[in-house]
C-alpha cells in the first residue's frame, strides 16, 4: 500500500536529496533531519533513479547479515519509522519502492552531465559548464559511508566523473579555453594522482597555453607519484606525447 498523501490532500512540496559530498534532504530549502537507517534507505532507492526497486532487493542489500525474514521485518520497521518528509520522498508499494516524483537528486543531474560530456556528439559549449556543474563533477558520492553497495556505486561515480572531467578538459583545449581546461584536468589529477590519462591531458593544456615549465613540472610530479607509490615509470606513450608537444610549441 502506498504511503498516505499529505493531510490536506495536496501534493508534497518539492524536495532535493543530496548524495554528492554527503547526505542531505531539504524541503523548500530547509534541511530535514534524517536518521542513519532512514538515510540509507532513501539513498539506496535514489541511486536507482526512477526505477522500481523490489522490496526484496532493498531488504537484502541493507541488511545482508541477517536471515531474509529478519531483513524484511527490518525494512517494514524502517518504513514505519520514517518521519513525514522522508516518507513523502518515497512511493512505497506492496512489492516495490519508487523515489517520489517531486524529489530531485543531485546525483541524477550530475550523471546526466557526465554522460553528455563523454558523448562525442555534444560540443563542450553545450554542456553548460557553470560552477554548479563543475562542483558536481568534482565531488565524491557519500564520502564516509562504507557499506558495500555504497562503495560500489561511489567507485562507479568516481570513474564516470573523472572520465567526464578529462573529456571536458580536452574539449576546452580544442576551443582554446586553456585556463578552464587546466582547471578541469587539475581536478581530475587531484582526485587520482596515479591516473595517466589525467596527467597527459593536463600536460597538453599547459603546453597549449604556452606553459612549458608547468608541463614539465607535472610530468616530474607524476613520475615521482608512480615511483614512490607503485614503483613504476610513466609509459613510453606519455613520454613521446610530451616530447612531441614540446617540439610543437618550441619556437624555431
Amino acid at each position: 500500500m502506498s504511503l498516505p498523501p499529505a493531510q490536506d490532500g495536496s501534493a508534497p512540496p518539492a524536495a532535493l536529496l543530496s548524495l554528492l559530498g554527503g547526505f542531505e534532504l531539504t524541503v523548500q530549502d530547509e534541511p530535514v533531519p534524517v536518521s542513519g537507517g532512514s538515510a540509507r534507505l532513501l539513498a539506496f532507492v535514489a541511486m536507482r533513479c526512477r526505477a522500481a526497486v523490489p522490496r526484496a532487493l532493498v531488504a537484502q542489500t541493507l541488511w545482508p547479515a541477517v536471515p531474509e525474514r529478519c531483513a524484511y521485518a527490518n525494512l517494514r520497521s524502517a518504513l514505519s519509522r520514517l518521519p513525514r518528509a522522508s516518507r513523502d520522498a518515497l512511493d512505497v508499494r506492496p512489492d516495490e519502492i519508487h523515489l517520489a516524483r517531486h524529489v530531485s537528486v543531485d546525483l541524477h543531474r550530475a550523471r546526466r552531465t557526465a554522460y553528455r560530456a563523454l558523448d562525442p556528439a555534444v560540443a563542450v559549449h553545450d554542456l553548460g559548464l557553470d560552477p554548479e556543474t563543475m562542483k558536481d563533477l568534482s565531488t565524491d558520492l557519500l564520502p564516509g559511508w562504507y557499506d558495500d553497495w555504497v562503495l560500489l556505486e561511489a567507485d562507479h561515480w568516481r570513474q564516470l566523473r573523472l572520465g567526464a572531467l578529462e573529456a571536458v578538459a580536452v574539449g576546452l583545449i580544442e576551443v582554446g579555453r586553456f585556463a578552464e581546461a587546466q582547471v578541469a584536468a587539475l581536478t581530475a589529477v587531484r582526485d587520482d594522482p596515479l591516473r595517466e590519462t589525467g596527467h597527459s591531458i593536463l600536460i597538453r593544456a599547459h603546453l597549449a597555453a604556452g606553459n612549458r615549465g608547468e608541463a614539465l613540472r607535472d610530468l616530474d610530479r607524476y613520475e615521482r607519484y608512480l615511483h614512490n607509490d607503485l614503483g613504476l615509470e610513466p609509459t613510453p606513450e606519455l613520454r613521446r606525447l610530451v616530447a612531441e608537444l614540446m617540439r610543437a610549441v618550441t619556437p624555431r
Side-chain angles (χ1 to χ4, degrees), residues 18-24 43 47 140-146 149-150 154:
S18 299
L19 304 179
L20 299 179
F23 182 95
E24 185 179 52
M47 284 183 196
D140 284 330
L141 172 66
L142 294 174
W145 288 35
Y146 299 108
W149 57 272
V150 176

Side-chain angles (χ1 to χ4, degrees), residues 182 202-203 206 211-219 221:
Q182 291 171 55
L202 177 58
I203 289 168
H206 283 319
N211 298 323
R212 289 178 292 169
E214 289 289 346
L216 292 177
R217 192 159 26 245
D218 186 73
L219 178 60
R221 193 159 44 230

Side-chain angles (χ1 to χ4, degrees), residues 209-229:
N211 298 323
R212 289 178 292 169
E214 289 289 346
L216 292 177
R217 192 159 26 245
D218 186 73
L219 178 60
D220 178 67
R221 193 159 44 230
Y222 179 53
E223 288 178 331
R224 285 187 280 109
Y225 285 148
L226 278 183
H227 180 75
N228 293 338
D229 287 19

Side-chain angles (χ1 to χ4, degrees), residues 90-108:
L90 297 174
D91 178 7
V92 181
R93 302 179 185 181
D95 296 318
E96 59 193 29
I97 303 175
H98 296 249
L99 188 69
R101 292 192 174 277
H102 71 279
V103 181
S104 300
V105 183
D106 59 353
L107 178 63
H108 299 177

Side-chain angles (χ1 to χ4, degrees), residues 51-111:
V53 187
R55 290 177 72 129
L57 178 61
V58 178
Q60 292 163 15
T61 302
L62 296 186
W63 293 278
V66 303
E68 181 178 333
R69 175 176 53 81
C70 295
Y72 273 101
N74 288 343
L75 176 58
R76 288 193 297 271
S77 177
L79 288 169
S80 69
R81 292 197 308 268
L82 284 173
R84 174 86 253 171
S86 300
R87 273 189 293 153
D88 285 342
L90 297 174
D91 178 7
V92 181
R93 302 179 185 181
D95 296 318
E96 59 193 29
I97 303 175
H98 296 249
L99 188 69
R101 292 192 174 277
H102 71 279
V103 181
S104 300
V105 183
D106 59 353
L107 178 63
H108 299 177
R109 176 188 68 226
R111 280 175 175 164

Side-chain angles (χ1 to χ4, degrees), residues 189-211:
V189 165
R190 178 203 65 194
D191 290 347
D192 191 346
L194 300 176
R195 185 177 167 111
E196 184 163 308
T197 50
H199 283 279
S200 67
I201 295 167
L202 177 58
I203 289 168
R204 284 181 57 191
H206 283 319
L207 290 173
N211 298 323

Side-chain angles (χ1 to χ4, degrees), residues 32-56:
V32 175
V34 183
S35 67
S38 299
R40 277 163 170 73
L41 174 57
L42 286 170
F44 182 75
V45 174
M47 284 183 196
R48 270 61 190 172
C49 295
R50 301 294 172 181
V53 187
R55 290 177 72 129

